């Protein structure tokens, strides 16, 4: 055999061995038409500066144990707690800011453990002792710049860098231990952290989620890079384009507390449309998802906003900012975390989705073509604790304050419960968020779905074949098509024996478009169920009253379609009324010790749980 042939055979053998070694094993439960998985991608543990200050001692390892259904102890004086239903996936997203200094100040063997700064940080703090505003002010006053001072970090900052490296390794190791690979795939973890940008108490935070175990040497925190555009560029350069197999995405959260900053039309130093289009592409690729809800409130929509046409009575759901908060109009403000400043339409995903259409017309790229999820933002290491009735899981949450709730949960349509499959689904935005319940929701868009599709056992197969799922752009319209059609289907959350899921009341499709008047236009269509079905809840017992549906489905065609205008559509599924966390607390309280808000009407005792799908976009051809 000549040398040339030997060389070719050697290369071929190496290729075969390499391919075999890197082949990804499939999960035993793999469905090409996808299945829904439930998770929480926003969870804090004792690693986070604020959670630790509030008394949380749960570490990342325990948080994942809890997410899988295991029992953990939040406080040695209290019984162990566990989820009613385990999650399918989770990510611990501790604040990267002060990773190292918190580690140093809470580790007794640290050389700065007994410093004045660390002693002050470790002073017990009761987060229920005052208003949310006071809590936030106390938090930032206590942390200030002391944790990152030379007294803690050293003149060159090396101590804190080393401490951050230790914490980051703990985060990665915990994710690796609890990720269940193929073929069983019972639980999936993601290595993650939070990019905590809080300039002047304005919340423009993002959770950074890695695709696999190929991650950055250290997180890029707000202290490292305070400019969001530069942060995206660094993530792209140091992860995606680094040639290491690293991939990453970022998820903005709590836009409702951003004083108009999260979705402000801002391209940094880019002046020309071409330069702005590049930044828009970068944002859309780096941030394919946004949290629509978490424990600090709903970020879907708000009534009465400047230059928004149309109203929606369900926009009053779980609002953090009071109704008399000033409107930022076309500007921005500051201080929302402490209840200050203004509120803007650009604090809400519905209007950002719609304004993205105008940017697509102007520069050719939509920077706000994002999908939706929900999360808890829980700060006691208990991911997925969204049941309103679980009063045993409210230790580290301000109780009874208007606007506070258990948060939401993320739903992902993926072939299997693996990092690769879930991450691909998040990238393509085939996701939705709920305020807690696990209702199963499908949303497809196309041009010729048959009216009888809801009765067809092959609905899902035909939904994909005849159009696109949530998170996608509508394909070009056939010549004979007059308007796009959508099929939306929802199954109620079965719940548990102790806490059955609520009945469904209504499915709506929300349409957004930019008018010729330069204003944001919205229209809400009731497409299945009945908004006034008479259902209610007895707040004395928290028992539901009235009828509802186990499932709802409809094929709907847009009756106000304008083929010349871009439009965005998403579905909202609404349950019958049920007891809110505050309602359950009032029910449990002794008659002679009930808080005043149980009867004075200052706090809502009921809620209507819901789901929000990712959108489907229409763009005129040409």
């Amino acid at each position: 055999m000549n040398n040339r042939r030997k060389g070719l055979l050697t290369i071929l053998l190496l290729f075969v061995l390499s391919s075999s070694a890197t082949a990804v094993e499939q999960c035993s439960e793999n469905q090409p038409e996808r299945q829904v998985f439930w998770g929480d991608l926003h969870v804090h543990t004792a690693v986070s500066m604020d959670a630790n200050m509030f008394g949380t001692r749960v570490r990342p390892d325990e948080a994942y144990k809890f997410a899988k259904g295991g029992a953990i102890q939040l406080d040695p004086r209290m019984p162990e707690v566990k989820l009613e239903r385990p999650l399918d996936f989770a990510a611990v997203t501790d604040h990267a800011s002060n990773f190292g200094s918190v580690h140093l100040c809470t580790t007794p063997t640290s050389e700065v453990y007994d410093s004045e700064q660390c002693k002050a940080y470790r002073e017990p703090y009761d987060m229920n002792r005052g208003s949310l505003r006071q809590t936030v002010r106390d938090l930032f006053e206590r942390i200030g710049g002391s944790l990152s001072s030379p007294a803690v970090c050293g003149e060159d900052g090396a101590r804190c860098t080393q401490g951050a490296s230790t914490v980051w390794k703990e985060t990665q190791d915990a994710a690796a231990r609890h990720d269940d690979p193929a073929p069983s795939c019972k639980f999936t973890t993601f290595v993650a952290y939070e990019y905590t940008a809080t300039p002047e108490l304005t919340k423009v935070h993002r959770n950074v989620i890695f695709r696999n175990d190929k991650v950055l040497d250290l997180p890029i925190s707000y202290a490292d890079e305070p400019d969001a555009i530069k942060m995206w560029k660094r993530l792209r350069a140091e992860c995606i384009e680094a040639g290491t197999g690293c991939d990453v995405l970022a998820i903005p959260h709590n836009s409702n507390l951003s004083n108009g900053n999260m979705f402000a039309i801002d391209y940094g130093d880019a002046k020309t449309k071409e330069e702005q289009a590049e930044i828009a592409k970068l944002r859309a690729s780096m941030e394919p998802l946004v949290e629509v809800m978490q424990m600090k409130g709903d970020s879907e929509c708000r009534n009465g906003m400047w230059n928004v046409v149309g109203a929606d009575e369900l926009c009053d759901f779980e609002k953090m900012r009071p109704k008399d908060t000033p409107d930022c109009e076309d500007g921005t403000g500051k201080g929302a975390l402490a209840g200050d400043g203004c509120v803007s339409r650009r604090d809400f995903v519905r209007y950002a989705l719609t304004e993205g259409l105008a940017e697509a017309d102007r520069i050719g790229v939509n920077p706000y073509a994002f999908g939706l999820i929900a999360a808890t933002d829980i700060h006691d290491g208990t991911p997925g604790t969204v049941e309103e009735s679980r009063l045993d899981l409210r230790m580290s949450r301000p109780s009874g304050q208007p606007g506070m709730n258990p948060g939401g949960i993320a739903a992902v349509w993926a072939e299997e419960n693996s990092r690769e499959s879930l991450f691909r689904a998040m990238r393509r935005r085939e996701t939705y968020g709920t305020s807690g319940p696990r209702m199963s929701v499908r949303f497809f868009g196309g041009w010729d779905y048959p009216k009888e599709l809801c009765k067809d056992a092959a609905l899902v197969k035909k939904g994909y074949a005849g159009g696109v799922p949530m998170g996608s752009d509508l394909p070009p319209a056939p010549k004979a098509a007059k308007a796009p059609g959508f099929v939306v289907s929802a199954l109620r959350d079965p719940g548990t024996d102790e806490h059955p899921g609520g009945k469904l009341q209504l499915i709506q499709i929300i349409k957004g478009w930019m008018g010729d008047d330069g204003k944001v236009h919205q229209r809400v269509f009731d497409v299945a169920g009945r908004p006034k079905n008479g259902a209610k809840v007895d707040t004395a017992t928290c028992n539901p009253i009235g009828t509802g549906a186990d499932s709802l489905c409809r094929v709907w065609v847009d009756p106000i379609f304008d083929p010349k205008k871009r439009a965005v559509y998403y579905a909202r599924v609404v349950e019958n009324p049920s007891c809110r966390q505050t309602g359950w607390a009032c029910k449990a309280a002794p008659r002679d010790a009930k808080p005043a808000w149980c009867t004075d009407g200052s706090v809502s005792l009921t809620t209507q749980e819901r789901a929000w799908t990712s959108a489907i976009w229409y763009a005129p051809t040409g």
Side-chain angles (χ1 to χ4, degrees):
M1 184 182 293
N2 61 44
N3 289 337
R4 184 173 182 273
R5 188 169 183 181
K6 282 183 179 179
L8 289 173
L9 287 174
T10 300
I11 291 172
L12 179 62
L13 178 61
L14 288 172
F15 175 78
V16 170
L17 290 174
S18 174
S19 299
S20 175
T22 58
V24 178
E25 186 178 3
Q26 196 174 78
C27 297
S28 57
E29 293 187 17
N30 183 290
Q31 295 184 17
E33 291 175 357
R34 295 158 193 166
Q35 50 192 319
V36 67
F37 295 104
W38 299 97
D40 192 349
L41 296 175
H42 193 172
V43 181
H44 294 274
T45 72
V47 170
S48 287
M49 54 188 173
D50 50 355
N52 197 298
M53 193 179 89
F54 295 147
T56 294
R57 297 296 176 260
V58 174
R59 307 293 295 188
D61 199 73
E62 295 171 285
Y64 284 127
K65 175 185 175 182
F66 182 86
K68 293 160 63 175
I72 65 172
Q73 200 159 32
L74 300 182
D75 187 302
R77 300 163 297 179
M78 303 289 289
E80 289 187 323
V81 293
K82 63 184 295 185
L83 283 173
E84 289 186 332
R85 291 180 286 182
L87 297 175
D88 298 309
F89 64 91
V92 170
T93 55
D94 281 307
H95 299 292
S97 298
N98 292 311
F99 254 4
S101 53
V102 171
H103 173 72
L104 292 168
C105 285
T106 57
T107 303
T109 55
S110 159
E111 61 187 292
V112 296
Y113 182 79
D114 291 323
S115 67
E116 292 304 313
Q117 291 81 2
C118 287
K119 286 180 180 178
Y121 172 74
R122 291 196 304 273
E123 279 292 316
Y125 182 81
D126 179 8
M127 68 181 297
N128 288 317
R129 70 182 182 182
S131 66
L132 179 64
R133 174 177 294 182
Q134 188 61 50
T135 298
V136 171
R137 291 189 185 283
D138 286 352
L139 169 65
F140 281 89
E141 181 179 343
R142 179 175 293 204
I143 295 174
S146 62
L147 284 186
S148 55
S149 68
V152 176
C153 296
E155 292 297 334
D156 59 355
R159 273 200 299 262
C160 284
T161 299
Q162 181 57 49
S165 180
T166 299
V167 171
W168 188 227
K169 185 178 186 303
E170 177 186 356
T171 300
Q172 295 174 68
D173 289 347
R177 271 192 298 275
H178 292 277
D179 186 64
D180 184 25
S184 57
C185 303
K186 292 181 180 178
F187 184 74
T188 297
T189 67
F190 291 97
V191 181
Y193 70 90
E194 182 177 303
Y195 173 84
T196 310
T198 316
E200 298 183 287
L201 296 184
T202 292
K203 200 175 186 75
V204 280
H205 298 188
R206 285 144 165 111
N207 291 321
V208 178
I209 314 292
F210 291 91
R211 185 176 193 142
N212 49 44
D213 59 359
K214 306 298 189 295
V215 303
L216 300 176
D217 291 338
L218 278 175
I220 300 171
S221 72
Y222 178 67
D224 301 319
E225 186 50 76
D227 182 274
I229 295 174
K230 292 178 180 177
M231 184 269 290
W232 300 327
K233 288 181 176 179
R234 283 190 59 181
L235 284 176
R236 182 177 63 182
E238 297 172 28
C239 174
I240 297 172
E241 297 176 347
T244 60
C246 182
D247 197 0
V248 67
L249 57 82
I251 305 174
H253 67 83
N254 269 134
S255 57
N256 62 326
L257 298 178
S258 78
N259 296 113
N261 289 281
M262 183 67 81
F263 301 122
I265 307 300
D266 180 10
Y267 298 104
D269 297 332
K271 302 300 182 186
T272 68
K273 288 184 178 181
E274 291 74 17
E275 291 172 335
Q276 292 175 3
E278 287 303 311
I279 300 300
K281 287 179 186 177
L282 174 65
R283 179 167 193 157
S285 66
M286 295 304 302
E287 297 189 346
L289 301 177
V290 169
E291 269 182 29
V292 66
M293 182 186 176
Q294 51 125 279
M295 65 181 296
K296 296 186 184 74
D298 159 86
S299 297
E300 181 198 6
C301 55
R302 186 180 177 110
N303 284 319
M305 300 310 301
W306 179 78
N307 267 9
V308 174
V309 177
D312 176 0
E313 64 181 21
L314 293 186
C315 281
D316 291 332
F317 178 70
E318 293 295 348
K319 287 293 166 286
M320 194 72 171
R321 309 296 305 275
K323 289 184 177 181
D324 60 354
T325 305
D327 195 312
C328 302
E329 297 191 354
D330 204 28
T332 58
K334 59 185 179 181
L337 262 179
D340 296 327
C342 53
V343 63
S344 168
R345 73 178 188 218
R346 295 186 180 117
D347 289 337
F348 299 95
V349 298
R350 178 185 296 178
Y351 313 128
L353 285 167
T354 306
E355 290 206 54
L357 306 178
E359 286 302 281
D361 277 334
R362 189 179 69 84
I363 61 175
V365 180
N366 184 347
Y368 302 130
F370 49 72
L372 300 181
I373 62 164
T376 61
D377 188 16
I378 187 62
H379 276 59
D380 60 10
T382 56
T385 52
V386 291
E387 301 94 342
E388 300 278 352
S389 60
R390 293 295 300 275
L391 302 180
D392 60 326
L393 289 169
R394 304 295 181 255
M395 287 178 54
S396 62
R397 309 178 189 184
S399 58
Q401 294 188 24
M404 300 303 290
N405 64 86
I409 194 169
V412 176
W413 287 106
E415 293 83 3
E416 61 182 27
N417 188 20
S418 66
R419 285 178 173 175
E420 182 64 27
S421 185
L422 292 172
F423 197 90
R424 283 200 309 267
M426 289 190 280
R427 271 262 182 243
R428 68 174 178 265
R429 306 169 298 202
E430 197 170 353
T431 63
Y432 62 99
T434 88
S435 58
R438 301 188 187 187
M439 63 273 279
S440 179
V441 185
R442 294 276 197 174
F443 183 45
F444 296 98
W447 295 97
D448 57 357
Y449 287 126
K451 293 181 179 180
E452 302 79 18
L453 186 56
C454 284
K455 299 177 181 179
D456 195 326
L459 182 154
V460 172
K461 184 176 182 179
K462 292 181 179 179
Y464 282 116
V468 295
M470 63 180 80
S472 304
D473 296 314
L474 280 168
K479 288 184 178 180
K482 294 183 178 179
F486 301 86
V487 57
V488 56
S489 168
L491 305 177
R492 65 172 286 197
D493 177 3
T496 64
D497 290 341
E498 185 176 358
H499 295 113
K503 294 278 190 176
L504 303 180
Q505 183 184 79
L506 181 67
I507 295 180
Q508 299 173 312
I509 290 180
I510 291 92
K511 178 182 180 180
W513 71 98
M514 292 299 294
D516 295 333
D517 53 6
K519 296 182 179 180
V520 171
H521 288 248
Q522 59 183 350
R523 183 83 174 267
V524 180
F525 298 91
D526 297 339
V527 300
R530 292 189 297 120
K532 306 295 182 184
N533 64 353
K536 56 184 179 179
V537 59
D538 179 355
T539 55
T541 63
C542 285
N543 292 329
I545 300 171
T547 61
D550 292 327
S551 65
L552 293 171
C553 186
R554 170 82 183 277
V555 176
W556 176 83
V557 178
D558 182 359
I560 59 169
F561 179 64
D562 182 346
K564 297 179 182 179
K565 284 191 177 296
R566 293 179 186 269
V568 60
Y569 305 83
Y570 68 92
R572 183 170 63 193
V573 181
V574 186
E575 282 189 357
N576 280 345
S578 58
C579 260
R580 190 172 179 262
Q581 170 187 321
T582 45
W584 285 101
C586 290
K587 174 182 178 293
R591 180 172 297 180
D592 58 351
K594 292 185 186 294
W597 44 260
C598 286
T599 54
D600 66 12
S602 63
V603 175
S604 176
L605 305 184
T606 65
T607 187
Q608 280 196 275
E609 307 280 16
R610 60 200 62 193
W612 307 264
T613 71
S614 289
I616 295 175
W617 290 264
Y618 165 76
T621 55

